[in-house]
Amino acid sequence: MNALSEASAVETLRWRDGRLELIDQRALPARLEYASCTSAAEVAEAIRSMVVRGAPAIGCAAAFGVALEARREQHRTRAEFSAAMDAAFATLAASRPTAVNLFWALERMRSELAAHRGDAKAAAARLAEAALAIFRADLETNRAIGRAGMKHVPDGARILTHCNTGALATAGHGTALGVVRSARDAGKRISVIASETRPYLQGARLTAWELIRGRIPVTLITDNAAGHLMSRGKVDMVIVGADRIAANGDVANKIGTYPLAVLALRHRIPFYVAAPLSTIDLRTANGKAIPIEERSAAEVTGYAGARWAPEGVEVANPAFDITPAGLVSALFTERGVVKRPNAGKIRRLFKR
Ligand code: MRU
């Protein structure tokens, strides 16, 4: 990390032995404050209510949720401990449906638990170590994604991104924003166009905040302005993250990603997806099989206490959409770059 990145580093999750502290992302950019969790149920609620969000950060938080529960229940009988842990896994798994990193992390934690089920205290200690390992590995993974992706970012590039994929969405550095950060740290004079990301405004509230804090030039646009800017030659590439990538390369990401990919194709602009292997779900054949979270109508009818839509209006609020693999120019991962991803190339990526 260079001096600039270090000074602006954001600690999204902090493990305080017996407590998980999370930046409460609902309060940003107005206030930087932490929420504290001491049980799996509290972590699940933090994920559900968007205190913590972004696929890798959700996975890390869930792993810590398991560790917290084991710590709380370690003095119970073997049967009670086992039942409490099963309930904790079920509660965490029900928090949000689309980001596969959540289920990936829970699966890892479950196999750690299986190896120590007979001894609750040993299990609690081991699960805390395992959660920390998942967290630390995510940071390293993001730096590797950044190194791989930045080779595709020319000096002076104007990069359009969607949602928030930075340190706030991960254990640190970020995925798509990690590529941006790595390119900047390597001395490239890049700039970012951040789409505001209706309805939850992750771009306006979180990406703009992170980039200003990291002293990376950023211009905020409405989601509707992307096509106009592309048509005027003001976007050199699009880089987004992912919540789940199916075995054939279809990408689930924040609602509004798919239209950006269509626009990018129309304007011959490369459309890149930056994501760790933990986001690739080989058990899901294609995008149609990815569950899409439907969020509350209140996110669309107003914001922060203000309501602009009439009472009684029907609302649809899908939180993610699917970008077909055919629209993806390349996938940036910690194992390198996959150009024009498809099922065969993704299978081979796991063997690299
Ligand atoms: O609803 P959110 O804010 O959790 O959605 C986040 C995204 O869609 C991100 O693009 C994705 O999780 C990748 S984050 C590195």
Side-chain angles (χ1 to χ4, degrees), residues 135-208:
F135 173 77
R136 291 186 185 126
D138 186 58
L139 183 57
E140 282 317 307
T141 294
N142 294 331
R143 292 198 176 123
I145 293 171
R147 284 193 295 276
M150 75 170 187
K151 293 178 192 143
H152 295 258
V153 177
D155 190 28
R158 296 158 301 175
I159 304 164
L160 193 149
T161 193
H162 191 55
C163 196
N164 172 267
T165 61
L168 287 169
T170 61
H173 198 70
T175 56
L177 282 194
V179 174
V180 166
R181 215 183 291 277
S182 295
R184 191 284 306 270
D185 289 352
K188 297 187 184 188
R189 289 158 299 174
I190 43 90
S191 60
V192 174
I193 299 160
S195 50
E196 61 179 351
T197 317
R198 280 279 295 145
Y200 207 70
L201 302 176
Q202 288 94 331
R205 295 190 303 108
L206 309 177
T207 297

Side-chain angles (χ1 to χ4, degrees), residues 50 53-56 96 163 165 169-170 175 202 242-243 253-254 320:
M50 307 285 276
R53 30 71 44 205
R96 288 190 80 187
C163 196
T165 61
T170 61
T175 56
Q202 288 94 331
D243 287 84
N253 191 48
K254 179 52 55 193
F320 301 96

